[in-house]
């Protein structure tokens, strides 16, 4: 079992879903959570985590934490020597995600309220990895600027999954995906 599979096994999707849809946790599609948002389909989350290539001990920014599932998976991947900073714009989802994450007993990860008009958490940058679980219209320079040297950013832009690497902001495309819109 590789690291991503181990993270999925340690933090099953069902524990991050509202009770009304938990019986559909194995469904490989998006499921509603709250605030008109969704929990991404497992295959998409798997693809994104593999593109991100998270390593133990890294600092990771998780933008659009939703139910907290991706934050928990990232925390598992970085381990206790790492750190995961999750941000969410919707207050209802901040509460839901933070409660779900707390149940995983990974104190090196946290979810907080995103600042309106601010993308990411620039005051805490740089990050080794940045994951964005909402679709941007264009590649946000604000997030590229929060990457550490040798950092990686994975996010959907205009329907295409992008992997951006530092130095130089080198962009590669990795298939078509649908996400809720990224808002600031």
């Amino acid at each position: 079992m590789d690291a991503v599979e181990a993270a999925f096994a340690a933090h099953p999707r069902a524990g991050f879903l509202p009770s009304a849809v938990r019986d559909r946790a194995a469904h490989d599609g998006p499921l509603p959570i709250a605030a008109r948002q969704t929990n991404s389909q497992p295959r998409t989350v798997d693809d994104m985590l593999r593109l991100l290539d998270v390593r133990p001990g890294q600092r990771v920014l998780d933008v659009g934490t939703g139910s907290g599932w991706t934050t928990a998976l990232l925390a598992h991947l970085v381990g206790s020597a790492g750190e995961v900073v999750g941000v969410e714009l919707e207050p209802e989802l901040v509460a839901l995600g933070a409660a779900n994450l707390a149940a995983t007993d990974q104190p090196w990860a946290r979810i907080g309220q995103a600042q309106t008009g601010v993308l990411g958490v620039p005051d805490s940058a740089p990050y080794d990895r940045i994951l964005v679980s909402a679709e941007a219209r264009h590649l946000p320079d604000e997030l590229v600027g929060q990457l550490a040297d040798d950092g990686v950013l994975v996010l959907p832009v205009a329907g295409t999954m992008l992997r951006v690497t530092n130095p130089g902001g080198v962009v590669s495309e990795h298939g078509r995906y649908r996400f809720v819109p990224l808002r600031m």
Side-chain angles (χ1 to χ4, degrees):
M1 179 180 303
D2 70 18
V4 172
E5 290 169 335
F8 272 82
H11 306 289
R13 184 186 196 197
F16 297 86
L17 296 171
S19 58
V21 295
R22 278 194 185 137
D23 63 333
R24 298 180 57 210
H27 171 66
D28 192 27
L31 294 173
I33 47 176
R36 296 188 326 227
Q37 303 298 313
T38 61
N39 178 279
S40 297
Q41 69 188 69
R43 182 171 23 112
T44 298
V45 174
D46 183 271
D47 290 348
M48 293 176 78
L49 292 177
R50 291 181 188 286
L51 286 172
L52 202 58
D53 189 28
V54 178
R55 307 287 171 93
Q58 290 183 322
R59 291 189 74 237
V60 179
L61 174 63
D62 187 16
V63 178
T65 59
S67 68
W69 188 38
T70 56
T71 311
L73 295 170
L74 290 165
H76 186 90
L77 292 169
V78 301
S80 61
E83 178 186 16
V84 180
V85 177
V87 290
E88 172 60 52
L89 194 57
E90 295 291 338
E92 183 179 2
L93 292 178
V94 173
L96 173 68
N100 288 339
L101 180 62
T104 70
D105 193 29
Q106 298 179 104
W108 53 93
R110 66 186 182 282
I111 294 173
Q113 181 71 46
Q115 278 188 284
T116 302
V118 176
L119 193 51
V121 187
D123 293 344
S124 296
Y127 301 97
D128 299 303
R129 300 291 187 264
I130 301 175
L131 178 68
V132 182
S133 296
E135 184 174 322
R137 290 188 203 158
H138 56 83
L139 180 60
D141 292 333
E142 306 97 299
L143 289 177
V144 176
Q146 293 175 49
L147 279 176
D149 293 339
D150 298 323
V152 176
L153 163 64
V154 172
L155 78 162
V157 175
T160 300
M161 190 64 66
L162 300 183
R163 183 177 197 265
V164 182
T165 57
N166 252 358
V170 177
V171 178
S172 58
E173 296 183 0
H174 298 273
R176 304 284 298 167
Y177 293 84
R178 291 185 59 183
F179 277 83
V180 298
L182 179 63
R183 297 182 303 131
M184 295 186 355

